[in-house]
């Protein structure tokens, strides 16, 4: 099966430039000029608001927010966080929820590759990590998608070495009763974007191959 093209911009990718890049790549996939592309990047610090964002989610510090066409609510991107945009055609019949589950599994498996046990939380998207003392789970990986003409944009964001200060000004993903964490905090060692990018790229390719064969990689494990 065709391999995804990997695009890894040098340095921090301006968020607006990242949106424009996705738009161009989306057009190529829709037109059949590309079998699919995976963008792996880090953004400068920015808040982005998905279609379901509520006014109460917005930053309390007056920071600007970029409105985007993905699903979900508000989140933050910044240095030390891996953002992965798989620009791929979903197979018919299109099942966006199944693709979300596959991307959750990508995060879970990539976390396992660096020694972190992450899982789903029933009724909530993304991937979550419990503390060593079995404290309530904190979100380590978020998902937000847009699908047009059968082709996806946006994707996943996984906290690696970033600080968590920016999250204190918002209600991340609109979830007020849960926290956020990083793979580095969970692993007890630095887990860099570069280290994780290799694992994520392999697993997204596996997810795309499985989707094309009609074989989902996602398992249905959840935290209770």
């Amino acid at each position: 099966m065709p391999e995804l093209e990997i695009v890894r911009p040098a340095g921090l990718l301006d968020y607006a430039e990242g949106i424009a890049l996705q738009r161009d790549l989306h057009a190529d996939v829709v037109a059949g000029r590309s079998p699919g592309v995976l963008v792996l990047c880090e953004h400068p610090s920015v808040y982005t608001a998905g279609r379901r964002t509520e006014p109460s989610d917005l930053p309390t510090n007056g920071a600007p927010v970029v409105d985007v066409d993905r699903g979900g609510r508000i989140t933050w991107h910044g240095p030390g966080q891996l953002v992965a945009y798989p620009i791929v055609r979903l197979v018919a019949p299109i099942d966006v929820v199944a693709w979300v589950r596959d991307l959750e599994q990508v995060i879970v498996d990539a976390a396992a590759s660096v020694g972190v046990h992450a899982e789903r939380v029933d009724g909530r998207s993304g991937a979550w990590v419990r503390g060593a003392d079995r404290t309530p789970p904190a979100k380590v990986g978020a998902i937000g998608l847009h699908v047009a003409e059968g082709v996806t944009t946006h994707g996943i964001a996984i906290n690696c070495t970033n600080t968590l200060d920016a999250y204190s000004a918002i209600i991340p993903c609109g979830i007020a009763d849960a926290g956020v964490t990083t793979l580095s905090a969970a692993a007890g060692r630095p887990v860099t974007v570069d280290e994780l990018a290799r694992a994520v790229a392999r697993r997204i390719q596996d997810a795309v191959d499985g989707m094309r064969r009609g074989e989902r990689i996602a398992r249905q494990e959840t935290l209770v």
Side-chain angles (χ1 to χ4, degrees), residues 14 22 49 53 56 72 101 104 116 118 133 144 156 162 169 178 181-182 184 215:
D14 177 79
Q22 289 186 74
T53 299
S56 59
R101 297 292 171 258
E104 286 174 342
V116 174
D133 56 355
I156 63 178
N162 53 286
T181 191
T182 67
S184 294
E215 302 168 359

Side-chain angles (χ1 to χ4, degrees), residues 17 45 56-57 64 87 109 148 156 162 180 188 219:
E17 293 178 5
S45 183
S56 59
D57 300 337
I87 316 298
D109 291 344
I156 63 178
N162 53 286
V180 290
R219 298 184 291 273

Side-chain angles (χ1 to χ4, degrees), residues 17-47:
E17 293 178 5
I19 293 293
L21 174 62
Q22 289 186 74
R23 188 180 303 119
D24 290 344
L25 296 173
H26 179 271
D28 286 341
V29 176
V30 167
R33 294 187 295 268
S34 167
V37 184
L38 174 60
V39 180
L40 298 167
C41 65
E42 294 174 75
H43 292 301
S45 183
V46 61
Y47 292 112

Side-chain angles (χ1 to χ4, degrees), residues 13-107:
L13 176 63
D14 177 79
Y15 192 77
E17 293 178 5
I19 293 293
L21 174 62
Q22 289 186 74
R23 188 180 303 119
D24 290 344
L25 296 173
H26 179 271
D28 286 341
V29 176
V30 167
R33 294 187 295 268
S34 167
V37 184
L38 174 60
V39 180
L40 298 167
C41 65
E42 294 174 75
H43 292 301
S45 183
V46 61
Y47 292 112
T48 71
R51 295 188 302 270
R52 295 177 53 244
T53 299
E54 300 287 343
S56 59
D57 300 337
L58 297 175
T60 56
N61 59 5
V65 177
V66 179
D67 292 323
V68 291
D69 61 2
R70 61 165 173 78
R73 293 167 75 168
I74 196 165
T75 194
W76 171 86
H77 299 305
Q81 180 194 76
L82 173 65
V83 179
Y85 298 128
I87 316 298
V88 298
R89 179 174 293 283
L90 299 181
V91 299
I94 291 174
D95 188 339
V96 178
V97 172
W99 181 238
V100 169
R101 297 292 171 258
D102 282 347
L103 291 179
E104 286 174 342
Q105 196 64 50
V106 166
I107 302 173

Side-chain angles (χ1 to χ4, degrees), residues 12 18 20 27 41 57 71 94 133 140 150 158 162 170 203 207 220 224:
L12 300 179
C41 65
D57 300 337
I94 291 174
D133 56 355
V140 74
I158 308 174
N162 53 286
I170 61 172
R203 284 159 177 83
Q220 300 304 311
V224 294

